């Protein structure tokens, strides 16, 4: 079975542990949905109860949002002075994207942003997470700002504020200017300074109106899939590049954090991290330890550098020289993020390798953990397990281990490809069920003391899903990619009610 992107995201992190080790290790720790076999039937179940007749209130001033990213929605890839990004180059390279799709037009949001804000309003949202395309601001990744790029985002921000919607702005959602990739990309330390300059330009231009910034989206995913797995732009396949990219990304985050704060000290700045709750496959002590290792690799790798100024102890075997870590770097990558953004879709089941596996895979001696997707919950159309408890577990753990930080759920959502019926209505009941249950799990975490400020459904509208092209629909609004017509799905209407009432309403059965 071909591994999906997200499964690769997890295997990437695991694989990164194998620097300088023999080949053949990736399979040993890749997250494959059938790798778990029946192993996780022994998972100690602490099931949350999802009572659909319950009404679930949320805290006052909670942010109800939806998320998008520039390359996934904007199109207009070479308009108004925009430079080429690594995603333009990658998508234009034959064989990289399913069905040879590209983001050249995507949802045409560059021209149709008013329609998209209308969707945000129709859904009663008070927060909209979108990203800024770096090469729209700096076509070659350095130098002065392209005023047309700034103007585009400026009018978007103004329109959101006018509509009473918080602009929640991501500075980097994977579209590095191609010129910077040509100069070495993320493995090149200089990219950290380029990113800080870009953050400075953007926050100078928009910082008077935008007070909530997401510096990076899923550093683990773009470093891993872009530089190690070659699944995403820029399509490199090198462990050393991956390790170096990881470290530059951490330096970049620290530097950009300081740039944002210098321009507007009261702004909130954080990052959106890809997270998955890691559960032991059985009750054995070995599997419990394996789950802790999986947690370090999946959830802490990019979180401890900013918050603790170090790489997780569990990853102490990482070769510092190969990563390019210098003595003063630990301070540079430290950034007291104002909030932790969590992107969470599913959980991971972790187990300890047996003696034979350890003997046959050197990596398993060094870092003994196998990771797999869960098998108990229903699957979305792209094969991800629906497991709302993962959100509860993750939020609760981060809240506990990081001293009750502010948390924003920056993404959660599901791919279901329900199409319009004869009258043009999109009945996506499974998406309603997904968000209802994840929100229910989130509410329990909040009731348990977690300081969660908002929830952003991925995504506002169907869009270009990276290497999967247009084959996976995550939107609360349906997009007909031929006509660019947007139609709010049943889930979008349901979410509008949730946002308006600040609660998840009970399901009233017809019986
Ligand atoms: C996340 C990405 C987002 C989208 C969703 C499905 O990893 O941040 O852009 O692709 O997955």
């Amino acid at each position: 079975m071909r591994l999906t992107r997200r499964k690769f995201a997890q295997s990437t992190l695991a694989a990164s542990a194998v620097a300088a080790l023999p080949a053949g290790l990736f399979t040993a720790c890749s997250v494959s949905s059938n790798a778990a076999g029946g192993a996780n039937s022994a998972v100690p179940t602490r099931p949350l109860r999802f009572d659909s007749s319950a009404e679930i209130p949320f805290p006052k001033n909670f942010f109800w949002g939806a998320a998008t990213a520039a390359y996934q929605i904007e199109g207009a890839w070479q308009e108004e002075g925009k430079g080429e990004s690594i995603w333009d180059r990658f998508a234009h390279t034959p064989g990289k994207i399913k069905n040879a799709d590209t983001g050249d037009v995507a949802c045409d949001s560059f021209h149709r942003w008013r329609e998209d804000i209308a969707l945000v309003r129709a859904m009663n949202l008070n927060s909209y997470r979108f990203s800024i395309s770096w090469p729209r601001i700096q076509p070659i990744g350095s130098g002065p700002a392209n005023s047309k790029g700034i103007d585009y985002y400026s009018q978007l921000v103004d329109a959101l504020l006018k509509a009473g919607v918080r602009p929640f702005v991501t500075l980097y959602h994977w579209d590095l200017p191609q010129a910077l990739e040509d100069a070495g990309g993320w493995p090149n330390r200089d990219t950290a300074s380029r990113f800080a300059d870009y953050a400075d330009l953007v926050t100078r231009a928009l910082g008077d109106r935008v007070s909530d910034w997401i510096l990076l989206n899923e550093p683990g995913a773009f470093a891993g899939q872009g530089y190690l797995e070659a699944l995403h732009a820029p399509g490199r396949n090198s462990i050393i590049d991956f390790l170096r990219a990881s470290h530059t990304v951490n330096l970049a985050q620290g530097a950009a954090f300081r740039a944002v704060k210098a321009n507007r000290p009261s702004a909130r700045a954080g990052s959106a991290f890809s997270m998955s709750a890691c559960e032991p496959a059985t009750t054995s002590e070995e599997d419990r330890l394996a789950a802790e290792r999986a947690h370090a690799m999946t959830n802490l790798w990019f979180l401890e550098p900013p918050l603790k100024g170090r790489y997780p102890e569990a990853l102490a075997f990482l070769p510092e020289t190969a990563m390019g870590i210098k003595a003063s770097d630990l301070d540079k990558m430290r950034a007291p993020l104002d909030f932790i953004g969590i992107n969470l879709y599913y959980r991971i089941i972790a187990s300890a390798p047996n003696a034979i596996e350890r003997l046959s895979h050197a990596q398993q001696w060094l870092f003994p953990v196998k990771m797999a997707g869960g098998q108990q919950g229903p699957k979305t159309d792209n094969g991800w397990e629906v497991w709302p408890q993962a959100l509860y577990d993750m939020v609760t753990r981060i809240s506990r281990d990081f001293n009750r930080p502010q948390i924003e759920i920056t993404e959660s959502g599901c791919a279901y490809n329900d199409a319009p019926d004869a009258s043009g209505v999109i009945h996506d009941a499974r998406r309603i069920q997904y968000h209802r249950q994840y929100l229910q799990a989130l509410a329990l975490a909040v009731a348990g003391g977690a300081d969660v400020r908002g929830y952003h459904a991925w995504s506002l509208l169907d869009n270009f899903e990276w290497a999967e092209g247009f084959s996976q629909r995550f939107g609360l609004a349906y997009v007909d990619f031929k006509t660019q017509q947007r139609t709010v799905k049943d889930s979008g209407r349901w979410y509008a009610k949730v946002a308006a009432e600040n609660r998840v309403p009970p399901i009233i059965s017809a019986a």
Side-chain angles (χ1 to χ4, degrees):
M1 190 188 114
R2 188 173 178 275
L3 297 180
T4 66
R5 176 168 73 75
R6 178 148 304 260
K7 284 164 190 157
F8 261 107
Q10 308 303 344
S11 68
T12 288
L13 290 175
S16 60
V18 305
L21 292 171
L25 300 166
F26 304 121
T27 44
C29 53
S30 63
V31 177
S32 120
S33 61
N34 45 19
N40 62 346
S41 56
V43 168
T45 40
R46 303 154 282 126
L48 295 176
R49 290 211 278 130
F50 296 106
D51 177 1
S52 55
S53 64
E55 167 183 317
I56 309 153
F58 274 78
K60 224 172 140 222
N61 303 325
F62 193 76
F63 283 106
W64 295 100
T68 60
Y71 187 73
Q72 295 181 275
I73 65 164
E74 282 181 4
W77 74 282
Q78 48 182 2
E79 286 182 41
E80 306 282 18
K82 177 182 166 295
E84 186 188 19
S85 81
I86 55 173
W87 268 95
D88 295 317
R89 177 72 62 92
F90 191 71
H92 293 153
T93 308
K96 300 296 186 194
I97 313 287
K98 197 179 241 177
N99 303 323
D101 290 339
T102 73
D104 290 2
V105 177
C107 306
D108 195 29
S109 266
F110 187 72
H111 300 112
R112 292 168 194 264
W113 57 271
R114 289 181 189 80
E115 289 175 50
D116 295 340
I117 293 184
L119 292 175
V120 168
R121 297 187 63 168
M123 292 180 204
N124 300 318
L125 306 183
N126 56 1
S127 181
Y128 177 48
R129 179 185 169 207
F130 64 94
S131 84
I132 293 189
S133 160
W134 185 349
R136 219 178 263 297
I137 304 299
Q138 290 181 299
I140 55 164
S142 59
N146 165 29
S147 59
K148 290 185 174 159
I150 296 284
D151 290 350
Y152 170 68
Y153 294 108
S154 196
Q155 62 187 358
L156 186 62
V157 164
D158 288 343
L160 287 168
L161 291 173
K162 195 160 164 236
V165 179
R166 168 180 77 160
F168 196 16
V169 182
T170 310
L171 285 173
Y172 187 73
H173 203 127
W174 304 0
D175 41 3
L176 188 72
Q178 179 63 39
L180 292 185
E181 172 60 17
D182 295 342
W186 283 109
N188 175 0
R189 276 177 80 91
D190 293 346
T191 303
S193 311
R194 296 289 75 73
F195 184 63
D197 291 348
Y198 157 67
D200 174 55
L201 286 179
V202 174
T203 50
R204 267 176 206 276
L206 304 179
D208 56 332
R209 286 154 291 155
V210 174
S211 44
D212 302 271
W213 298 91
I214 296 169
L215 305 169
L216 300 170
N217 181 67
E218 298 193 353
F222 73 79
Q225 290 160 75
Y227 290 93
L228 178 65
E229 300 287 356
L231 273 182
H232 277 187
R236 288 202 235 167
N237 204 322
S238 150
I239 286 168
I240 293 294
D241 286 350
F242 164 66
L243 291 173
R244 293 230 158 117
S246 298
H247 188 54
T248 309
V249 160
N250 283 321
L251 295 173
Q253 182 173 242
F257 180 85
R258 288 182 284 279
V260 172
K261 292 289 179 171
N263 286 335
R264 178 149 172 205
S266 64
R268 291 166 78 238
S271 276
F273 300 94
S274 166
M275 293 196 180
S276 292
C278 299
E279 299 183 13
T282 72
T283 51
S284 75
E285 180 60 8
E286 291 79 10
D287 285 351
R288 192 189 64 75
L289 288 172
E292 284 310 295
R293 292 187 193 105
H295 173 66
M297 197 168 256
T298 309
N299 303 317
L300 304 181
W301 180 306
F302 286 92
L303 193 57
E304 291 205 355
L307 296 183
K308 299 193 171 163
R310 62 167 199 225
Y311 284 94
E313 272 165 31
L315 306 180
F317 59 84
L318 286 174
E320 287 195 9
T321 352
M323 290 184 76
I325 302 177
K326 296 185 184 166
S328 59
D329 284 358
L330 301 186
D331 274 344
K332 290 187 187 151
M333 63 189 194
R334 192 185 275 275
L337 304 177
D338 297 298
F339 62 87
I340 296 175
I342 296 182
N343 290 1
L344 185 140
Y345 292 82
Y346 54 72
R347 66 177 168 159
I348 282 175
I349 306 296
S351 57
N354 62 33
I356 294 172
E357 287 164 331
R358 292 193 67 174
L359 276 175
S360 51
H361 298 291
Q363 179 258 354
Q364 298 289 3
W365 276 111
L366 213 48
F367 198 74
V369 57
K370 293 191 298 175
M371 298 196 270
Q375 296 297 310
Q376 287 166 283
K379 297 278 173 65
T380 59
D381 283 351
N382 62 346
W384 295 357
E385 186 198 30
V386 178
W387 200 256
Q389 176 147 0
L391 187 57
Y392 170 86
D393 288 345
M394 198 73 247
V395 166
T396 301
R397 175 141 198 198
I398 292 294
S399 185
R400 185 193 75 195
D401 294 353
F402 288 85
N403 196 21
R404 202 170 175 267
Q406 288 185 22
I407 291 175
E408 296 264 3
I409 305 305
T410 33
E411 281 180 32
S412 188
C414 44
Y416 289 117
N417 289 353
D418 303 293
D421 68 8
S423 32
V425 180
I426 299 100
H427 298 297
D428 57 338
R430 293 172 299 175
R431 182 170 289 103
I432 296 177
Q433 177 79 341
Y434 176 101
H435 286 296
R436 153 184 286 286
Q437 293 192 340
Y438 277 62
L439 283 168
Q440 200 155 8
L442 186 62
L444 286 176
V446 171
D451 184 3
V452 183
R453 302 297 171 100
Y455 180 87
H456 297 78
W458 184 270
S459 180
L460 177 68
L461 71 175
D462 297 336
N463 57 47
F464 177 85
E465 179 50 30
W466 309 112
E468 305 299 328
F470 296 104
S471 68
Q472 298 182 358
R473 293 179 178 270
F474 280 85
L476 296 167
Y478 184 88
V479 177
D480 178 333
F481 292 106
K482 288 201 184 75
T483 62
Q484 292 294 349
Q485 194 192 338
R486 282 99 159 112
T487 309
V488 176
K489 301 179 187 176
D490 280 0
S491 60
R493 274 197 287 274
W494 173 84
Y495 197 53
K497 193 165 153 62
V498 169
E501 296 177 1
N502 202 35
R503 62 173 192 137
V504 176
I507 291 178
I508 311 289
S509 96

